[in-house]
């Protein structure tokens, strides 16, 4: 049977990123946005802020977990703050 268009949030597991308290949140968000833009894909991204807020990235910033994305995210946030 033919499948309809892929629904990214229904089919791809979310990527969870936490900005550590010792990092500058605004700087990390700006750098994360550039990284996310470099790896377009179907995985939604949740960003956990140092103050406890959770943000979901815009659908246009869903990512591919292939390639160098995990390593780049870990280099910015620390491997323990990147859950794929």
């Amino acid at each position: 049977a033919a499948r309809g268009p892929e629904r990214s949030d229904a089919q791809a597991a979310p990527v969870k990123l936490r900005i550590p308290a010792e990092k500058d949140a605004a700087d990390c968000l700006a750098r994360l946005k550039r990284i996310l833009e470099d790896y377009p894909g179907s995985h939604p991204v949740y960003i956990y802020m140092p103050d406890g807020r959770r943000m979901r990235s815009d659908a246009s910033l869903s990512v591919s977990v292939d390639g160098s994305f995990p390593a780049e995210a870990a280099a910015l946030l620390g491997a323990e703050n990147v859950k794929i």
Side-chain angles (χ1 to χ4, degrees):
R3 291 174 44 183
E6 182 175 325
R7 291 218 16 196
S8 61
D9 58 348
Q11 298 200 351
V15 171
K16 297 176 182 177
L17 306 173
R18 187 173 71 83
I19 297 177
E22 66 272 11
K23 299 266 189 178
D24 179 275
D27 179 61
C28 274
L29 282 174
R31 292 171 66 189
L32 263 179
K33 183 177 182 200
R34 288 193 294 275
I35 293 170
L36 295 175
E37 288 170 340
D38 286 344
Y39 297 95
S42 60
H43 293 265
V45 177
Y46 291 95
I47 300 169
Y48 295 82
M49 302 297 290
D51 64 8
R53 288 180 299 143
R54 182 182 84 167
M55 300 169 31
R56 180 174 177 176
S57 70
D58 189 70
S60 67
L61 292 177
S62 292
V63 297
S64 169
V65 296
D66 299 327
S68 299
F69 170 75
E72 286 195 39
L76 175 63
L77 303 173
E80 69 279 5
N81 296 309
V82 178
K83 304 291 184 222
I84 296 177

